[in-house]
Amino acid sequence: VQDLQALDPTQLATSSGYESARTINYQASQNFTVKDRYIIDAQVRRDGSSLFGPESRYQNFYRIAGAYRISEDFQIPGVQEFKLRAARGTAGLRPNFADQYETYTVSGGQATKFQLGNKSLKPAIATEDEFGINTSFLDRFDLELVQANRTTRGAFLSVPLSVAASGGFQTQVQNAADISAKTTEFSLQTRVIDRPNFSYSFGITGDHTTQKILKMGRAPYRVNAGGQGQDVFYYKEGENLGIIYGAKWVRSFADLKQNPSFANAVESDYVINPLGFLVTKASRGTASEKPIAFTDASGATQFKIGDVNPDLSFGFSNNLNLFGFGIYALFDGQRGGQIYNFTKQWMFQDFRHGDEDQGNKPADQRIALPFFSGSLYNGLVASDYFVEDGSYVKLRELSVSYDLGQQALSKVGLNRYANSVKVALIGRNLYTWTNYTGFDPDVTSGSDFNFRIDGFRYPQFRTVTGQVTFAF
């Protein structure tokens, strides 16, 4: 056990470990520029990694890119630069260290088989085609438009196994899926005012991405989002990544009638409660009031209830300089895309969420606590009640600075020691505009943005920093 804590026998822990991974890479590249008009960039690589088994350790990759500066051949009024570009490249993704080995869990002194190793894993090969336009015009605008299409063959998935067929192992990492991604991006940078003592510029960026499972070598299955609650997400061939599945609640009598079990239900026996759920009239306002789970005509009880993918992600930066003062502000956010509020669901069980507070509501609008803790809580199984709009705008950064300048330094006698002194105050994550009821809509499960689930994650910290910069 190569761990410093091993020096003290009382500090030994079963979590100590040692991992060794080795890589070897060969690369050749060449760039050409012809008559300042034609640009060609080529690269080949051969990569090897011990994270793969003996038969799959090496893989070849390449990149070829070209650009044509049209504005060098054709003079376009008001356009300083106009360039078309295209590229194709490949890259390999590597599995985790333990994916080629059998792993076990230990509980109460009992070892249990968990993951079946896979020494036949191959690199997941991503091939991307990118097309773009770059243009500068009117001596103050820079515009970039990009379309990138990527296909990943043999993407790694931790696939559930039949315990009987696998000899007791529960999962195995496999090259189980082909995934496509399409991204459209734009960027506009502009210099609105550019004078010696007064300048203002701003930039706008935006992008839209969709990812789809083209092929999956097994039946659809649910995915646990990094240990956050139940299996909220779903992998299914032909469907986008980031789809949330779960139960629906009946919100109208027409919904109820889809369930064959309620074919003889009488509409007058039901009412819509203040939360918008259909409940029996006899139970309304009592401790026995509860929502009704939706079942369609085919008997299905699990449905697509959300999609984490935003319609648009965007950024808006501003830079103002005025007589030594500098102000920089960056806003970013997204429009559309949904979040599963698992934190809220868990809090329902313990009567800790504000939705359960009925104290300030009129008596006829109140709902008994078992409706939340015993029904909507739903044993932590996902339901549409906890799917929320994830749109937001965040003031990501705001800084105010002042450059004292030589004249100010001379007045205080510091010009002998410094060429300039700049003081600044910088704030990050200062404010968020959103209708999301959790702490922060800018949340994912771990680092995977396909799993946008709020599971007791800390919100992004608000920080304010002072800074003094001396130039000698």
Side-chain angles (χ1 to χ4, degrees), residues 308-314 332-339 390-393 441-442 452:
V308 305
N309 297 286
D311 300 321
L312 176 69
S313 298
F314 57 86
D332 66 21
Q334 66 178 45
R335 182 179 183 276
Q338 294 170 307
I339 302 169
S391 302
Y392 71 91
V393 177
D442 189 12
R452 203 164 172 224

Side-chain angles (χ1 to χ4, degrees), residues 271-329:
V271 295
I272 304 296
N273 76 0
L275 288 179
F277 295 99
L278 186 77
V279 298
T280 59
K281 182 182 293 185
S283 68
R284 173 68 194 104
T286 71
S288 61
E289 180 181 355
K290 60 183 179 180
I292 303 168
F294 175 71
T295 301
D296 68 12
S298 68
T301 59
Q302 295 290 298
F303 308 93
K304 184 187 300 185
I305 58 175
D307 185 345
V308 305
N309 297 286
D311 300 321
L312 176 69
S313 298
F314 57 86
F316 179 43
S317 61
N318 299 265
N319 208 329
L320 174 67
N321 291 281
L322 180 63
F323 295 103
F325 283 96
I327 299 176
Y328 174 78

Side-chain angles (χ1 to χ4, degrees), residues 102-171:
E102 280 70 39
T103 66
Y104 298 77
T105 59
V106 179
S107 178
Q110 182 70 36
T112 304
K113 293 179 179 179
F114 181 67
Q115 177 184 275
L116 180 63
N118 187 353
K119 291 187 179 294
S120 298
L121 283 174
K122 298 179 180 180
I125 307 296
T127 303
E128 182 170 302
D129 297 315
E130 183 177 299
F131 310 92
I133 297 175
N134 294 79
T135 180
S136 299
F137 55 97
L138 300 179
D139 291 317
R140 66 179 63 214
F141 296 99
D142 299 300
L143 176 66
E144 181 178 22
L145 299 174
V146 177
Q147 176 64 44
N149 302 322
R150 183 177 66 254
T151 301
T152 302
R153 305 288 180 186
F156 303 120
L157 293 181
S158 180
V159 176
L161 299 178
S162 165
V163 175
S166 66
F169 290 97
Q170 302 173 35
T171 65

Side-chain angles (χ1 to χ4, degrees), residues 229-251:
Q230 297 295 322
D231 299 337
V232 175
F233 297 93
Y234 200 57
Y235 284 161
K236 181 181 180 181
E237 186 173 307
E239 195 159 277
N240 288 347
L241 290 176
I243 301 300
I244 305 173
Y245 271 79
K248 289 183 177 180
W249 301 109
V250 172
R251 289 177 168 81

Side-chain angles (χ1 to χ4, degrees), residues 1 3-14 16:
V1 180
D3 193 304
L4 286 178
Q5 290 184 340
L7 297 175
D8 181 356
T10 64
Q11 297 299 314
L12 288 176
T14 57
S16 298

